[in-house]
Amino acid sequence: MFYTLSPYNVLNGLGLIAGLFLLDQALERRTSDSRDRAYVLFVLCSATGWLAAHMFDALVTRQPLGYAGFTYYGGFLGGGSAFLLLSLRWLSPDQLLRSLNCAVVPLLVAHGIGRVGCFFAGCCYGRLLGVHFRHPTQLYEAAFLLVLAAVVACIQRRHFMSGLRLYLFAYPTFRFFIEFLRADERGSFYGLSTSQWVSFGLLILASVWTYVSREATSASASRAIQPPSTCLGEGQRCPACPITGGS
Amino acid sequence: MLNGAMVLMILAGIFGLPAAACSSACAGLGHSLGAQNDPNAAAGQAIMETLKWLAILASFGSIIVGALVKRVGKTVGGVASLLFCGMFAALLIQANLMAILPALMLLVAAIMIWVAPEEQFRNIVRVEAAR
């Protein structure tokens, strides 16, 4: 036999294909004007993310680049940063937010299928469960990611723009706790693994983003009901006034 | 048709990764045996190094072009697919049989791109100009 297919490669390839199809459909439904630009940016940033995932793993496990594996968070941070930088030139802030929300479900599905590949490859394994078995942390994570994808897809039918925020709260929280069950070598600082520190940082980022956007929303709502300084009062003719309604 | 070509190109890139690893191992073996300093083997070692980079380029190139095949158009997609097919076929010089499958997949993908109807492509410039 001159060819051996690795389940890890096959499942990661299938995850990538499924993610690309879902992303294409989501961008087509939700972003009419920036669909193609966003898709091309996502593909290019996935390649950057792949490279970043490899480099991040080499950094945290202190291995030479050729021997290192891949770290999800390395790809997420590297690809995400590249996307944010490139979108400054190619997408407006509204298009950027819409595109990122389109990418949440495809990312979750691709990541979930990829984790099944991790299970077959024997990486990202868990602590001993009894004498002979280990916690199948890859399968726990795959199940969580696919369920979360279904939940986000349901929520996005009514509140499309809340998908990204839900992801930024749910996945890092899950990852923080599942890391306690993992036993593979992935680097650690001050008693916590690298992924737990990254999860912690992402949760802070998501909290700050939620707080800032709520403040901005409430400020704009209160500005909308403030009378202008030139208000003539109730019963006066003032066409631009939101209080008197132009009466 | 074009979706099939896209899937084939991405899978060819994924299946080409072991071929690239094998090619790198060949080049690394020659390097560790000192072939680059041997006057009789230096040219062969240079070919091995070139083939290693061709394999790596073909693997990642076919994944990226496969993902973008609807956007890059028929000519670029078809020519790139044939080019990557040729790169994998070149690995047969070093008897790298792992390259046969991705090369065949890319050949089929090139034919599928060639026969795909024009309206399945999304030329970015044309779409934005129309809007």
Side-chain angles (χ1 to χ4, degrees):
Chain A
M1 185 66 182
F2 63 87
Y3 203 91
T4 310
L5 288 179
S6 137
Y8 180 78
N9 283 346
V10 172
L11 283 161
N12 273 302
L14 290 178
L16 176 66
I17 291 168
L20 286 173
F21 273 114
L22 288 172
L23 179 67
D24 198 18
Q25 284 179 357
L27 287 172
E28 189 155 350
R29 271 202 311 271
R30 302 285 185 177
T31 59
S32 55
D33 51 345
S34 59
R35 182 188 64 187
D36 291 313
R37 262 174 296 159
Y39 183 87
V40 172
L41 285 183
F42 274 121
V43 171
L44 295 180
C45 293
S46 301
T48 316
W50 186 89
L51 194 66
H54 195 48
M55 289 170 72
F56 195 81
D57 193 67
L59 190 73
V60 297
T61 58
R62 296 182 179 84
Q63 284 184 328
L65 203 58
Y67 294 92
F70 298 93
T71 306
Y72 171 74
Y73 268 147
F76 180 78
L77 295 176
S81 310
F83 188 83
L84 290 177
L85 280 176
L86 288 174
S87 65
L88 291 176
R89 169 73 179 83
W90 296 103
L91 298 174
S92 68
D94 182 54
Q95 288 170 340
L96 168 68
L97 264 182
R98 281 200 158 268
S99 307
L100 287 175
N101 274 291
C102 285
V104 174
V105 173
L107 179 68
L108 284 166
V109 170
H111 190 185
I113 297 173
R115 281 289 177 212
V116 182
C118 289
F119 175 73
F120 284 112
C123 62
C124 311
Y125 52 84
R127 288 180 186 279
L128 278 172
L129 181 68
V131 182
H132 298 296
F133 299 103
R134 287 183 178 276
H135 279 284
T137 44
Q138 313 96 328
L139 296 184
Y140 297 161
E141 193 166 338
F144 172 80
L145 289 165
L146 296 175
V147 169
L148 183 61
V151 170
V152 171
C154 287
I155 288 176
Q156 280 191 323
R157 284 185 184 173
R158 290 194 174 186
H159 308 286
F160 176 69
M161 299 299 264
S162 56
L164 180 63
R165 197 168 298 165
L166 178 61
Y167 174 77
L168 284 178
F169 276 109
Y171 181 69
T173 307
F174 174 81
R175 184 69 188 263
F176 187 86
F177 289 109
I178 197 79
E179 286 287 312
F180 288 115
L181 286 181
R182 277 177 64 166
D184 55 322
E185 174 54 42
R186 58 211 185 283
S188 68
F189 301 100
Y190 297 104
L192 292 179
S193 73
T194 320
S195 301
Q196 283 175 316
W197 284 111
V198 177
S199 297
F200 194 62
L202 282 176
L203 281 170
I204 291 175
L205 187 77
S207 307
V208 170
W209 180 34
T210 306
Y211 177 76
V212 169
S213 59
R214 275 196 185 162
E215 286 290 305
T217 310
S218 59
S220 64
S222 62
R223 253 199 318 273
I225 56 167
Q226 284 290 323
S229 56
T230 54
C231 186
L232 299 174
E234 195 76 36
Q236 301 297 314
R237 187 162 184 79
C238 183
C241 183
I243 305 295
T244 60
S247 63
Chain B
M1 184 67 81
L2 207 52
N3 285 338
M6 174 185 162
V7 170
L8 270 180
M9 284 187 80
I10 293 175
L11 285 181
I14 298 281
F15 293 168
L17 288 172
C22 178
S23 199
S24 302
C26 284
L29 187 66
H31 199 82
S32 61
L33 291 175
Q36 73 277 11
N37 298 322
D38 182 348
N40 296 321
Q45 178 65 18
I47 292 174
M48 289 292 183
E49 295 283 346
T50 309
L51 289 175
K52 175 183 86 175
W53 288 110
L54 273 187
I56 292 170
L57 186 67
S59 286
F60 292 108
S62 56
I63 293 174
I64 293 173
V65 176
L68 295 175
V69 75
K70 285 184 188 173
R71 269 85 178 171
V72 295
K74 183 175 268 193
T75 312
V76 176
V79 169
S81 187
L82 275 180
L83 198 67
F84 297 137
C85 170
M87 287 178 176
F88 277 122
L91 298 189
L92 293 176
I93 293 171
Q94 55 179 188
N96 188 342
L97 297 181
M98 286 184 179
I100 293 177
L101 182 62
L104 283 176
M105 289 169 88
L106 285 167
L107 187 64
V108 175
I111 295 169
M112 288 169 85
I113 292 169
W114 182 256
V115 299
E118 196 68 44
E119 59 268 16
Q120 287 187 4
F121 290 90
R122 288 182 193 149
N123 189 316
I124 299 170
V125 177
R126 203 185 329 148
V127 168
E128 294 200 344
R131 288 208 175 104

